[in-house]
Amino acid sequence: MPVYRFLEYRRVIWLEGGPLSLEDQCRQAFNSLPLTTERVVTRADGTNVMGLRMRDVGQRGVFVHCGRYVDDQATGVIPMNEQRQTQVNSRRPGNAENFLNSDFLGLLFGNHVITLNAGINGASLGNYLRGLFGLAEMNEDCTKFDLVRIADVNKLAKIRSSGGVSSLKLDLAIDEAVHIALTDHVPEPANPSLGWGVRQLLAPVSEAIGDLIKNYEPASGLASSTKGTVKLEISVPAGDAILARNGMDGTAQLLVEDEDADDYVIKLRNGDTIKPSEISLKKRVRLDRFANSVDVNQAEDHMLVYAEELREGGLLE
């Protein structure tokens, strides 16, 4: 049975100038540590990450496939004979092997990275490469990098090209919600921002929240908060009315055009998200299962295609 996974794009930021590209540093480290047993990085929690292989695809970059395991840890086995009750058994690994806990993949090209199963912000891949560079006794500057989401993309174009907005999250200060509830009309500021306009669109929701905080005795103490926030989340299912979906898109466009808005998260229908300072780029792909992982060759093919789509879309500039 196939599974669906997300490919995620990150950009490499060197903290102190750093080398020319993460791709080159990775290629150098793997070449200097040719054996898999030389490429094992032990994590603080006692688990190990092994660089299972690196595949060099020339100008298109290098693939890195890593596996997590705990040395000599047994795996659980479920007996499949017919009986009313059973207990989980365990099986120890054989000689010169360990059971795979999980794995992750990365495609590195220049200072661009596409990951699969590598955790938030590609942390698993980033941490492994830093450890690997240490094992290869490379210059300390090679470890001073971070994998970040991109910030310099036309957000309006991204909303349009993604198929629209699926949900919108907005933080509203508690004192603001209470203020809306206490007044019939909030005076328009001398120089209203687009964000102020969005809050006016959401005023009925804010008023309901403010009434609850102001009038419901167990919650009334919140009215004195000057730092608390109310998180509003609005979502529109794909099958909802076109008018509602267009309204969600329009509200999101108002937010991204407001330079002062700093408290929203826009989730797009293709899985990407937009925050005031960054955009996450993802692609959902269908992969065949292999053991407790996926077909690695198939995943790598998808990653190459995604890299080309990002390049054609001008997102690697």
Side-chain angles (χ1 to χ4, degrees):
M1 180 181 294
V3 294
Y4 291 90
R5 296 286 185 268
F6 277 105
L7 305 180
E8 299 194 59
Y9 169 73
R10 297 288 185 271
R11 186 169 293 167
V12 181
I13 299 296
W14 294 100
L15 304 183
E16 295 184 9
L20 292 178
S21 77
L22 192 62
E23 173 193 346
D24 291 340
Q25 305 312 305
C26 181
R27 188 180 279 115
Q28 178 182 332
F30 269 80
N31 289 338
S32 66
L33 300 171
L35 303 180
T36 56
T37 52
E38 298 176 307
R39 302 194 296 262
V40 176
V41 174
T42 301
R43 293 163 31 118
D45 61 1
T47 60
N48 299 299
V49 180
M50 174 184 282
L52 302 175
R53 70 165 186 159
M54 181 194 75
R55 183 161 77 95
D56 196 325
V57 286
Q59 293 184 344
R60 293 185 294 175
V62 294
F63 285 107
V64 177
H65 182 202
C66 298
R68 299 187 188 91
Y69 67 93
V70 176
D71 194 38
D72 201 37
Q73 184 180 60
T75 189
V77 178
I78 301 175
M80 297 305 293
N81 49 319
E82 295 182 358
Q83 51 189 345
R84 290 185 178 274
Q85 300 183 67
T86 190
Q87 290 184 335
V88 173
N89 294 331
S90 65
R91 181 175 300 156
R92 304 207 69 79
N95 293 330
E97 70 176 8
N98 271 299
F99 290 122
L100 178 70
N101 183 304
S102 60
D103 64 347
F104 57 90
L105 286 163
L107 169 61
L108 288 69
F109 50 109
N111 281 318
H112 306 282
V113 176
I114 294 174
T115 63
L116 175 70
N117 291 341
I120 298 174
N121 290 329
S124 296
L125 178 62
N127 290 335
Y128 174 72
L129 290 177
R130 292 184 193 95
L132 180 71
F133 297 163
L135 291 174
E137 299 182 346
M138 295 168 62
N139 189 298
E140 185 180 359
D141 286 346
C142 295
T143 66
K144 297 177 180 179
F145 68 89
D146 205 354
L147 305 180
V148 300
R149 292 174 174 175
I150 60 176
D152 52 350
V153 165
N154 185 322
K155 296 182 176 67
L156 289 178
K158 185 61 185 167
I159 290 174
R160 298 186 188 107
S161 66
S162 69
V165 176
S166 65
S167 69
L168 172 65
K169 295 181 182 179
L170 184 69
D171 286 354
L172 182 72
I174 287 178
D175 57 343
E176 183 177 1
V178 173
H179 181 66
I180 291 174
L182 291 172
T183 58
D184 294 330
H185 175 72
V186 179
E188 181 174 341
N191 297 300
S193 67
L194 291 171
W196 181 87
V198 170
R199 280 173 168 72
Q200 287 303 100
L201 293 174
L202 301 178
V205 181
S206 304
E207 184 174 353
I209 294 170
D211 281 337
L212 175 66
I213 293 172
K214 178 170 63 75
N215 298 320
Y216 182 54
E217 180 60 30
S220 60
L222 287 174
S224 61
S225 172
T226 58
K227 295 183 179 180
T229 58
V230 176
K231 295 184 181 294
L232 303 179
E233 180 172 0
I234 305 171
S235 60
V236 177
D240 208 341
I242 293 177
L243 186 61
R245 296 202 302 273
N246 289 344
M248 179 77 83
D249 293 353
T251 302
Q253 289 175 22
L254 284 174
L255 279 174
V256 300
E257 287 183 313
D258 181 11
E259 295 180 355
D260 296 324
D262 60 357
D263 54 4
Y264 64 83
V265 178
I266 299 167
K267 185 175 181 180
L268 304 176
R269 295 194 180 280
N270 66 351
D272 295 348
T273 57
I274 296 177
K275 296 181 181 180
S277 60
E278 65 180 27
I279 292 181
S280 72
L281 296 180
K282 302 179 184 178
K283 181 182 181 181
R284 188 169 182 256
V285 294
R286 181 178 183 271
L287 300 167
D288 293 329
R289 293 180 185 271
F290 179 77
N292 61 337
S293 180
V294 296
D295 185 322
V296 172
N297 293 325
Q298 191 180 66
E300 290 178 351
D301 289 342
H302 280 293
M303 294 169 99
L304 287 173
V305 170
Y306 187 38
E308 190 57 34
E309 290 173 352
L310 292 170
R311 183 174 290 107
E312 292 176 354
L315 298 171
L316 303 182
E317 300 298 328

